[in-house]
Amino acid sequence: MSEKIITKRLRVEEENLAVAMGSGSLMVLATPAVVALMEGAAAELADLELDNEELTTVGTMISIEHTSPDPLGAEITAEARLINSDGRTFNFEVTAYDKKGEIAKGTHTRVCVKAEKFQMKADGKFDEV
């Protein structure tokens, strides 16, 4: 498998801060915002691997270590690297960094699903029988 990588970028805005997201009390980049950026890169890369427009992927696991804070206005880059796939399950290494270096790293797994069927399952989850 050739190495495949997707990157996504984010400028830290007020809505990305821990205090705004409810994940902390400081005006620093929130871990959930880092996770979303990393997952977005992985989702985009997984979609490139699918050969059927009726299919998409959903995240099933993410494990990251967020090791360095970033202030309002910082430029963040997230990178997803496809480690392996069996065609249904996609495993990624994810990394985020700023101009000073790595700020977070971890792993992420996505699973291929039929988009319409999956959405119908979610929409009908609480329907009375």
Side-chain angles (χ1 to χ4, degrees), residues 13-87:
E13 303 290 342
E14 286 190 25
E15 64 265 18
N16 308 122
L17 298 176
V19 68
M21 296 190 85
S23 66
S25 61
L26 297 175
M27 292 186 59
V28 296
L29 177 63
T31 300
V34 175
V35 168
L37 191 63
M38 293 166 133
E39 187 171 13
E44 187 175 322
L45 182 50
D47 283 347
L48 294 175
E49 296 292 304
L50 302 176
D51 58 4
N52 182 332
E53 62 187 46
E54 295 177 7
L55 301 177
T56 190
T57 61
V58 294
T60 59
M61 187 283 303
I62 191 159
S63 176
I64 74 152
E65 190 175 8
H66 188 182
T67 57
S68 182
D70 279 286
L72 187 65
E75 298 283 342
I76 308 302
T77 301
E79 181 176 279
R81 181 184 320 264
L82 182 59
I83 301 302
N84 60 55
S85 172
D86 63 9

Side-chain angles (χ1 to χ4, degrees), residues 82-99:
L82 182 59
I83 301 302
N84 60 55
S85 172
D86 63 9
R88 174 157 162 69
T89 302
F90 299 84
N91 294 299
F92 300 91
E93 179 180 275
V94 290
T95 309
Y97 48 94
D98 60 22
K99 67 181 181 179

